Amino acid sequence: MAKKVSITTQGLVDGKQSNVIKEITVDDDFELFDDYYAYQIGAKADPNGNAVLGAMIGKNHYVRFSDVIDISVDDIEGE
């Protein structure tokens, strides 16, 4: 079963402050704590032991922790 990650980010769109919601489909093995929050709170680091400033969501989407307002994961029914 796949999962849908909904990410609300803040930033500038056409020169105005705006919130953007993106929905990304990820594999079933995606765990929000292990793949996102553990890096954000410093429980995990990069291979060299350094803190990271963002996380990969799925295979092709990188988000910076400072831009994310809200993140949630829902199961996709029927897949």
Side-chain angles (χ1 to χ4, degrees):
M1 181 183 327
K3 296 180 181 181
K4 178 181 72 170
V5 180
S6 299
I7 304 168
T8 304
T9 58
Q10 63 183 355
L12 292 176
V13 176
D14 295 329
K16 296 181 182 180
Q17 185 69 21
S18 180
N19 296 341
V20 177
I21 300 173
K22 295 180 183 175
E23 294 182 346
I24 302 161
T25 303
V26 296
D27 295 333
D28 190 39
D29 60 348
F30 180 83
E31 292 295 328
L32 188 57
F33 180 81
D34 290 337
D35 297 330
Y36 182 82
Y37 286 117
Y39 290 102
Q40 187 177 28
I41 64 174
K44 286 186 174 181
D46 74 359
N48 296 320
N50 300 317
V52 294
L53 301 176
M56 288 296 295
I57 306 296
K59 296 181 182 187
N60 298 323
H61 191 77
Y62 178 80
V63 294
R64 295 184 325 167
F65 296 135
S66 61
D67 292 341
V68 176
I69 297 172
D70 185 45
I71 185 168
S72 63
V73 178
D74 298 310
D75 290 330
I76 297 176
E77 298 297 324
E79 288 192 26

